[in-house]
Amino acid sequence: MSTLFAITLAAAATVQPSCSWDRPGANPYTGNTDAAIDRYTDIPERTRVKLKHRLAYGNPDEMVSITRDAITGKYNYDPEIRDMHFGAASVCHTVTRSKWSPKRDEPGAVYCVDQHCILVPKICGNVSRIARPRPAVAAVPPPAVAPVPNWNDHVGDSELGLVDAPLIEDVPNLRTAGFLPAPMPAAPVEERVVEQPFTGPPVPPIQPVFPGGSVHPILPPPNPPGNPPVTPVPEPETYAMLLSGLGLLGFAARRKRRAAAAAAASTAA
């Protein structure tokens, strides 16, 4: 249904600002349910379509109890009832039920879509509106901040069984006072000095340079009396080279003798 048609229906209906709903069922709604929903022009059209569909198939959210001072059910509702349709096409903005008995209880069906709720009392079928407040979101408390410890506060009056240590200046020796164990006697250490002869390579002498660029080598000191001069011993590589040379010479001489003998034999023949 178009918005223009809904506005036309709203203008055609008889609107009263305030009514007393003291006798439920005395003037029930006899009009069309879809027309009643379309008169609520402040509700979005898409939401109105869903509400009309649910009312046509009788698919309420829940059945509530309507009393003088409250509307109670599974959800929380405001006690005020607004925009109630009654008769053929009459609408009352504010509906009071102050003259109801405190014990009176009327059942009603509630249909809610997108926080827009329609109330239809069973006794009269008057299409009206109620409000369902959003559930309050519990505020998350801020994280507790640990108090800064005060080390000057007294920790308690219970005796912990601890012995106070004496002051350092009152105890000249902690071992004699019993705070440290007695030292273990150490075994005597015999001190011996072993002279090791120098067996390293000879250190080359430092060649001092005198003014003018002349170099005077520093000669080693002469052997002290009683120590003969040391004769150098040939290395094993020297012996190997000498034997190899002797072997080559013998091989050459033998080859030369064989050549001479072969030449003499060929001449005699």
Side-chain angles (χ1 to χ4, degrees), residues 120 201 265:
V120 181

Side-chain angles (χ1 to χ4, degrees), residues 73-156:
K74 181 174 60 176
Y75 300 97
N76 295 325
Y77 299 95
D78 290 342
E80 181 185 5
I81 299 176
R82 302 176 292 108
D83 301 331
M84 176 180 282
H85 289 74
F86 61 95
S90 299
V91 181
C92 186
H93 281 306
T94 303
V95 179
T96 63
R97 53 189 188 278
S98 58
K99 295 182 181 181
W100 278 26
S101 169
K103 297 181 180 180
R104 183 159 189 171
D105 189 347
E106 293 291 342
V110 176
Y111 305 82
C112 291
V113 176
D114 300 334
Q115 297 299 319
H116 295 280
C117 296
I118 303 299
L119 172 65
V120 181
K122 183 178 180 180
I123 192 172
C124 58
N126 294 353
V127 179
S128 54
R129 301 174 65 179
I130 58 176
R132 178 196 291 178
R134 293 180 180 271
V137 179
V140 179
V145 180
V148 179
N150 186 2
W151 304 109
N152 296 324
D153 292 343
H154 196 274
V155 296

Side-chain angles (χ1 to χ4, degrees), residues 261-269:
S266 61
T267 304

Side-chain angles (χ1 to χ4, degrees), residues 247-267:
L248 290 175
L249 291 176
F251 177 75
R254 185 178 180 183
R255 186 176 181 180
K256 187 175 181 179
R257 286 197 302 269
R258 285 182 180 181
S266 61
T267 304

Side-chain angles (χ1 to χ4, degrees), residues 22-200:
D22 297 330
R23 293 184 302 166
N27 191 9
Y29 180 58
T30 58
N32 184 271
T33 304
D34 292 351
I37 299 297
D38 284 329
R39 289 189 181 98
Y40 302 142
T41 55
D42 60 316
I43 300 178
E45 182 178 359
R46 185 175 181 180
T47 304
R48 293 202 307 267
V49 171
K50 294 180 180 179
L51 287 171
K52 288 185 291 184
H53 182 78
R54 295 189 60 183
L55 264 73
Y57 285 91
N59 184 21
D61 287 30
E62 64 171 332
M63 297 298 295
V64 296
S65 174
I66 308 172
T67 60
R68 184 185 67 180
D69 302 319
I71 300 175
T72 58
K74 181 174 60 176
Y75 300 97
N76 295 325
Y77 299 95
D78 290 342
E80 181 185 5
I81 299 176
R82 302 176 292 108
D83 301 331
M84 176 180 282
H85 289 74
F86 61 95
S90 299
V91 181
C92 186
H93 281 306
T94 303
V95 179
T96 63
R97 53 189 188 278
S98 58
K99 295 182 181 181
W100 278 26
S101 169
K103 297 181 180 180
R104 183 159 189 171
D105 189 347
E106 293 291 342
V110 176
Y111 305 82
C112 291
V113 176
D114 300 334
Q115 297 299 319
H116 295 280
C117 296
I118 303 299
L119 172 65
V120 181
K122 183 178 180 180
I123 192 172
C124 58
N126 294 353
V127 179
S128 54
R129 301 174 65 179
I130 58 176
R132 178 196 291 178
R134 293 180 180 271
V137 179
V140 179
V145 180
V148 179
N150 186 2
W151 304 109
N152 296 324
D153 292 343
H154 196 274
V155 296
D157 298 330
S158 60
E159 177 61 37
L160 301 180
L162 302 179
V163 179
D164 294 336
L167 298 178
I168 298 300
E169 54 267 16
D170 297 338
V171 181
N173 192 334
L174 295 179
R175 296 189 186 276
T176 58
F179 288 96
L180 294 178
M184 297 294 294
V189 179
E190 181 181 358
E191 296 184 359
R192 293 180 300 173
V193 179
V194 179
E195 295 183 358
Q196 298 291 340
F198 179 74
T199 58

